[in-house]
Amino acid sequence: MLIKEFAELTGVTVRTLRYYDKIGLLKPSFIDQNNGYRFYDEKSLERMQEILFYRELDFSLKSISEILSYQNYNKQDIIKEQKYLLTLKKQRLEKIISALEAIEQKGEIQMDIFDNTQFENAKNDFEDEVKKRWGNTSAYNEYKSKSKDITNNVYEDFDSIFGEFGDSMKEGFSPSDNDVQLLVKKLQDFITQNFYNCTNEILSGLGQMYVCDERFKNNIDKHGKGTAEFVSSAIKIFCKS
């Protein structure tokens, strides 16, 4: 396809495509050296679709370029995360529409609908996880090296720590209590020993992910509803101390 045809098909402007080419985000599959015409193919269309999904989720062009450049980038895993983020965005829009209807019918004022914290936290956690898994970070490289020796017993022991958090919550402990803070330290040391060096910065990110990512939240909450939030709060206190 010529650039004009590709622009019409994807719903972006020719100017945008030229800019994407300039910054290396989406290069034409072929440029005719005689007339300078840009041509795009199926691979170009597939990459453009990925770019548009990220743009829909408000990712910056720089972030999109970085994510798409990672080696062993797993598209199937990414699609699941994008679907989750778009679902959060959809839920927020539905709340805003309902609020407009309430204003129209009853004149009610609602301000909490404009809080976009859940979506922004989930988006940031997603980006951090992608960088960790495919961005060749030292933490991920260490994880890959250690993961060869990880057994089912390790995962069971890891899960049992969250069980201890759940028990503490049920017994009425506060996330700031010393015994709970010792559990956070135990969790951090376990991750460092078995997976990767769990710095306070990494631990803080995990704490957010435990409540923002439904997969993690549901798995932790099997030890009692609210356990994930309890763990996240305890980690937040630990990392600030």
Side-chain angles (χ1 to χ4, degrees):
M1 288 175 281
L2 284 167
I3 188 170
K4 184 178 180 181
E5 297 171 323
F6 190 76
E8 291 175 352
L9 180 62
T10 57
V12 300
T13 64
V14 170
R15 182 179 179 181
T16 296
L17 290 174
R18 290 183 183 276
Y19 180 67
Y20 285 179
D21 179 16
K22 180 180 178 180
I23 64 176
L25 181 59
L26 178 65
K27 294 225 171 254
S29 57
F30 172 73
I31 298 179
D32 191 322
Q33 297 301 320
N34 294 321
N35 53 32
Y37 288 172
R38 290 172 166 84
F39 292 86
Y40 296 82
D41 58 12
E42 288 293 326
K43 288 186 177 180
S44 306
L45 192 61
E46 183 179 354
R47 185 175 176 90
M48 189 67 202
Q49 183 183 58
E50 292 181 275
I51 292 170
L52 292 175
F53 273 130
Y54 282 116
R55 291 300 290 156
E56 192 66 32
L57 291 167
D58 304 322
F59 280 82
S60 68
L61 294 180
K62 180 181 178 182
S63 293
I64 297 172
S65 181
E66 288 178 354
I67 292 172
L68 294 181
S69 69
Y70 294 150
Q71 294 180 351
N72 301 317
Y73 174 83
N74 190 310
K75 293 180 182 178
Q76 290 303 313
D77 286 350
I78 293 299
I79 288 172
K80 293 177 183 178
E81 295 295 340
Q82 288 176 330
K83 183 179 178 181
Y84 170 63
L85 288 173
L86 285 170
T87 299
L88 289 180
K89 191 172 184 179
K90 175 188 174 185
Q91 291 172 349
R92 180 169 181 262
L93 289 173
E94 287 175 343
K95 288 180 181 179
I96 292 175
I97 292 172
S98 295
L100 287 172
E101 291 175 347
I103 293 172
E104 185 180 35
Q105 296 172 9
K106 303 176 183 179
E108 295 179 353
I109 297 177
Q110 299 180 39
M111 297 304 297
D112 60 327
I113 58 169
F114 299 106
D115 183 3
N116 202 27
T117 303
Q118 184 181 15
F119 172 79
E120 289 298 330
N121 286 340
K123 188 180 80 169
N124 291 335
D125 290 340
F126 165 74
E127 191 168 359
D128 289 342
E129 185 177 359
V130 168
K131 288 180 179 179
K132 184 182 75 176
R133 294 179 65 182
W134 296 294
N136 292 320
T137 63
S138 58
Y140 181 57
N141 288 332
E142 185 179 359
Y143 167 74
K144 286 196 296 184
S145 175
K146 288 185 176 181
S147 64
K148 300 174 184 177
D149 302 318
I150 295 176
T151 64
N152 287 335
N153 288 336
V154 171
Y155 289 112
E156 290 174 0
D157 291 341
F158 188 40
D159 186 62
S160 71
I161 296 177
F162 292 108
E164 292 182 61
F165 277 107
D167 290 341
S168 296
M169 179 189 68
K170 294 171 188 174
E171 292 170 10
F173 283 90
S174 166
S176 61
D177 287 342
N178 186 58
D179 286 350
V180 178
Q181 289 299 295
L182 288 175
L183 268 180
V184 176
K185 178 60 177 172
K186 180 179 179 179
L187 175 66
Q188 184 181 42
D189 290 344
F190 187 89
I191 294 173
T192 295
Q193 181 180 351
N194 294 281
F195 301 105
Y196 47 78
N197 182 30
C198 187
T199 64
N200 279 10
E201 182 180 5
I202 291 176
L203 183 64
S204 178
L206 289 174
Q208 294 178 38
M209 186 170 65
Y210 290 158
V211 291
C212 292
D213 189 310
E214 288 297 318
R215 298 168 304 168
F216 286 97
K217 184 176 184 296
N218 291 336
N219 188 54
I220 295 173
D221 275 356
K222 71 184 182 183
H223 298 291
K225 186 176 181 181
T227 302
E229 187 66 44
F230 184 80
V231 174
S232 180
S233 297
I235 290 174
K236 186 175 181 179
I237 295 168
F238 179 88
C239 292
K240 284 186 175 181
S241 60

